[in-house]
Amino acid sequence: MSIQDIQNDIIEEFAMFDDWEERYQYMIDLGKTLPLIDEQYKTDDYLIKGCQSKVWVHANMENNKVVFTADSDAIITKGVIAILIRVFSNQRPKDIIDANTDFIDKIGLKEHLSPTRANGLVSMIKQLKMYAFAYQTQLN
Amino acid sequence: MFPIKEIRKDFPILSRKVHGKPLVYLDNGATSQTPIQVIDVIVDYYSNYNANIHRGVHNLSQEATDKYEEARHKIQNHFNAKHAHEIIMTSGTTESINLVAHGFASLLDKGDEIMVSALEHHSNIVPWQMLCEKTGAVLKVIHMNDEGELVLTEYSKLLSNKTKLVFVNHISNALGTINPIELIIEKAHQVGAAVLIDGAQACPHVKPDVQALNVDFYVASAHKMCGPTGVGMLYGKEAWLNKLPPYQGGGEMIADVTFEKTTYAGLPHKFEAGTPNICGGIAFGAAIDYLNAIGFDNIAAYEHELLEYATEKLMEIEGLKIYGTSKNKTSVISFNIEGIHPYDIGTILDKLGIAVRTGHHCAQPIMAYFKIPGTVRASFAFYNTKEEVDILVAGVKKAKMMLA
């Protein structure tokens, strides 16, 4: 599935929720089910420091696609990460570099990507794109 | 009876909604809200007598200067400083601290010691670390115990004739502990050290008397005292302020300037280079008037009642732990719920219209002591109510249910 298709799916899924509570409960549940990052990568080398919550991201390349795993110490942050991983993982580097994150606004989670939140998510997206960029350079 | 209903009417912001719910503002430790009496002064300034001060022959400049200096006198009276020129107007507590740290750079020698407490805000740690790097002085730390109180026996042992400065906050921003500053000042003076007290968190709750305290420097911010942001004050004993060199160069802080030599203006202007926050200073004075009209004894009694009520109600929640359990504390409750990240609780509370602070509260050493990433901090002001405490408690219960 393309990044755009996945984003459209997510927007459709979120449209079913009546209020913020259902939306957040869904994210919290997602956060709980997120496959944890391999313990060996939960170190400072893979840490993105937010003022509030910590985020760890690991990337590797499989069949010319970038596979991301990630984790956070805060569950709502982890829920947002789960959504971002679903969108960006298993995609070709160039597609990741070109993708935008407007869909976050459409599913009512924009506030989580505000720099004032300092939860590490803004830096996480930058990091995902940096990894993609690095792998793209390898492919060239 | 505390006139809470009338008081709440003074604060327009308290009637707004957030995410469709009535705002419950419990982040007063970060900044306080502004009463209409102060807002009116700000509007009046820009509507009627906005002008630069201390430098015009025209009428507007004279009016603005008079009001600004009147505010300085209000601050002087409030803190009971001996002279008005011992009150330096600054952009806030952080600048006040940096001004003193900068000044001491020329007074310290290698091997001299300066002491900070483990309860400090980053703004009261970093300037001294920078000062130590510059001068070769050594930074010593007064540690705290599990209740979040400073260990005074340790403090006494750390003091020596090498100690030149002691910096302690009056009240901890992260935990609300009221520090025994009288004792801390007295002991420091016995070895000839100067003392700076950071009153940023204390001044919304208590009325410090700098002469009775015999403190050398005391600093505060207007925005924690129902005043505007970007303005604060430094009180310094005249003798100390004369000893410190100017902080910044510019207009207003000079007496005579030639290319060979500049002589500096006297106090307080020596430390007030450039055009100050004139409107902010005047509004700071109005905020002090407002607080004094309610009365600090009344404020303290009411806030204590809120604190006790909130502590009792929150403690009923299973798994909730309060950090900072000193008997001497102000209306601040820093807490966590077992197994739940403070950021998650804060996020859910926000959705319910409840504003709290989450995170390390710019006091990472305290969080390191308790081995936690941060806390949820509810800080109450005299315009908060028991009903709002109930909303907070219900909110925390809901967050716990959703997150556990």
Side-chain angles (χ1 to χ4, degrees):
Chain A
M1 257 175 121
S2 76
I3 287 182
Q4 194 56 53
D5 289 342
I6 299 171
Q7 291 190 357
N8 290 340
D9 275 4
I10 294 172
I11 292 167
E12 229 170 85
E13 285 164 29
F14 269 75
M16 294 188 306
F17 299 130
D18 288 335
D19 56 16
W20 74 269
E21 261 186 82
E22 288 184 3
R23 228 164 43 227
Y24 272 69
Q25 199 60 63
Y26 176 70
M27 287 218 301
I28 291 163
D29 294 341
L30 265 184
K32 287 175 184 166
T33 56
L34 180 74
L36 295 179
I37 197 168
D38 199 303
E39 273 307 307
Q40 62 170 314
Y41 301 126
K42 224 168 148 177
T43 63
D44 283 355
D45 288 346
Y46 298 92
L47 176 67
I48 298 166
K49 266 193 187 164
C51 195
Q52 301 257 0
S53 54
K54 291 178 179 174
V55 173
W56 294 270
V57 176
H58 177 258
N60 64 310
M61 182 96 117
E62 286 170 21
N63 306 322
N64 291 341
K65 288 180 173 175
V66 190
V67 176
F68 294 111
T69 55
D71 202 353
S72 172
D73 55 350
I75 197 97
I76 295 175
T77 306
K78 217 164 144 180
V80 183
I81 290 176
I83 295 168
L84 291 174
I85 295 276
R86 184 171 154 200
V87 171
F88 288 106
S89 189
N90 255 314
Q91 299 289 342
R92 288 177 307 180
K94 188 166 183 318
D95 295 340
I96 297 169
I97 296 166
D98 293 341
N100 68 47
T101 51
D102 293 352
F103 77 102
I104 290 285
D105 198 0
K106 293 185 182 135
I107 59 175
L109 298 179
K110 189 184 168 196
E111 65 213 44
H112 292 278
L113 296 187
S114 148
T116 62
R117 285 264 162 168
N119 54 14
L121 285 170
V122 175
S123 312
M124 176 183 167
I125 293 172
K126 265 189 209 148
Q127 193 72 20
L128 298 183
K129 297 214 169 205
M130 293 263 284
Y131 274 122
F133 188 76
Y135 285 121
Q136 180 64 35
T137 320
Q138 278 181 19
L139 287 178
N140 295 341
Chain B
M1 261 293 270
F2 193 72
I4 183 67
K5 276 197 179 134
E6 285 69 39
I7 284 172
R8 283 183 71 83
K9 282 185 203 148
D10 290 340
F11 293 82
I13 206 169
L14 295 181
S15 57
R16 72 160 281 181
K17 291 188 169 176
V18 170
H19 299 307
K21 304 201 172 55
L23 166 69
V24 175
Y25 187 77
L26 303 178
D27 195 18
N28 296 287
T31 202
S32 55
Q33 294 304 342
T34 318
I36 194 70
Q37 289 85 342
V38 174
I39 297 171
D40 284 348
V41 166
I42 295 168
V43 173
D44 183 41
Y45 172 80
Y46 283 111
S47 307
N48 294 310
Y49 61 98
N50 176 28
N52 213 329
I53 55 170
H54 298 141
R55 64 192 84 194
V57 293
H58 60 81
N59 184 69
L60 282 191
S61 172
Q62 192 55 52
E63 277 183 37
T65 304
D66 289 348
K67 292 273 192 190
Y68 191 71
E69 289 308 319
E70 190 185 309
R72 195 192 305 274
H73 278 98
K74 283 178 185 174
I75 299 167
Q76 176 203 353
N77 290 334
H78 180 75
F79 289 95
N80 193 31
K82 199 168 174 188
H83 307 290
H85 61 249
E86 289 177 319
I87 303 295
I88 311 297
M89 306 292 265
T90 65
S91 67
T93 299
T94 298
E95 188 186 43
S96 300
I97 294 169
N98 276 283
L99 190 158
V100 177
H102 171 267
F104 264 86
S106 62
L107 303 177
L108 290 177
D109 290 321
K110 197 165 181 258
D112 282 344
E113 292 177 357
I114 55 184
M115 213 181 287
V116 298
S117 92
L119 286 170
E120 296 312 302
H121 188 275
H122 292 165
S123 68
N124 211 5
I125 299 174
V126 180
W128 312 120
Q129 284 174 332
M130 289 162 65
L131 177 60
C132 286
E133 276 169 26
K134 211 187 297 180
T135 59
V138 182
L139 194 68
K140 298 272 176 178
V141 180
I142 315 164
H143 291 106
M144 65 170 191
N145 62 21
D146 291 348
E147 279 73 46
E149 297 166 332
L150 295 178
V151 183
L152 291 175
T153 47
E154 189 183 313
Y155 169 60
S156 301
K157 281 184 206 150
L158 284 171
L159 283 169
S160 75
N161 57 9
K162 282 190 205 156
T163 316
K164 295 294 181 266
L165 283 159
V166 175
F167 308 100
V168 177
N169 54 30
H170 193 164
I171 291 175
S172 153
N173 76 307
L175 306 177
T177 314
I178 304 172
N179 288 315
I181 57 170
E182 295 83 357
L183 199 74
I184 287 167
I185 293 164
E186 194 190 324
K187 293 221 179 245
H189 284 168
Q190 281 167 10
V191 297
V195 181
L196 182 150
I197 300 293
D198 172 357
Q201 292 295 325
C203 290
H205 309 289
V206 296
K207 187 172 178 171
D209 180 332
V210 292
Q211 288 191 76
L213 287 168
N214 193 21
V215 66
D216 304 291
F217 301 99
Y218 195 99
V219 298
S221 289
H223 76 95
K224 310 242 196 227
M225 305 170 65
C226 298
T229 56
V231 66
M233 71 105 203
L234 159 68
Y235 159 80
K237 279 183 186 161
E238 185 182 38
W240 273 114
L241 291 177
N242 280 328
K243 233 184 268 184
L244 299 184
Y247 178 48
Q248 287 177 322
E252 188 136 358
M253 53 76 74
I254 44 86
D256 286 298
V257 177
T258 65
F259 283 108
E260 288 72 39
K261 186 175 168 58
T262 292
T263 51
Y264 302 121
L267 295 174
H269 306 294
K270 178 173 115 178
F271 294 108
E272 296 182 350
T275 299
N277 184 346
I278 303 166
C279 176
I282 295 168
F284 188 6
I288 283 175
D289 283 345
Y290 180 80
L291 292 173
N292 280 308
I294 297 172
F296 276 84
D297 289 343
N298 297 331
I299 289 174
Y302 179 76
E303 287 178 345
H304 186 72
E305 217 178 289
L306 277 184
L307 173 69
E308 298 226 304
Y309 181 72
T311 306
E312 190 194 317
K313 290 284 169 188
L314 282 169
M315 286 301 282
E316 285 171 9
I317 299 172
E318 211 187 306
L320 186 140
K321 181 175 173 177
I322 292 177
Y323 298 90
T325 47
S326 173
K327 283 190 192 75
N328 289 312
K329 64 179 274 191
T330 46
S331 47
V332 170
I333 301 182
S334 233
F335 66 91
N336 272 331
I337 292 179
E338 204 184 346
I340 302 179
H341 198 284
Y343 175 80
D344 290 327
I345 298 174
T347 301
I348 300 293
L349 291 180
D350 171 58
K351 284 281 164 196
L352 297 166
I354 306 165
V356 293
R357 175 91 187 261
T358 63
H360 54 57
H361 316 299
C362 299
Q364 284 176 345
I366 298 180
M367 302 303 134
Y369 176 90
F370 289 117
K371 297 188 176 65
I372 48 177
T375 66
V376 181
R377 184 190 69 181
S379 48
F380 304 92
F382 57 88
Y383 43 74
N384 289 126
T385 63
K386 284 188 180 171
E387 289 72 32
E388 289 180 308
V389 172
D390 292 337
I391 295 171
L392 169 72
V393 172
V396 173
K397 283 181 181 163
K398 188 181 185 73
K400 188 187 162 195
M401 203 179 69
M402 288 179 76
L403 292 159

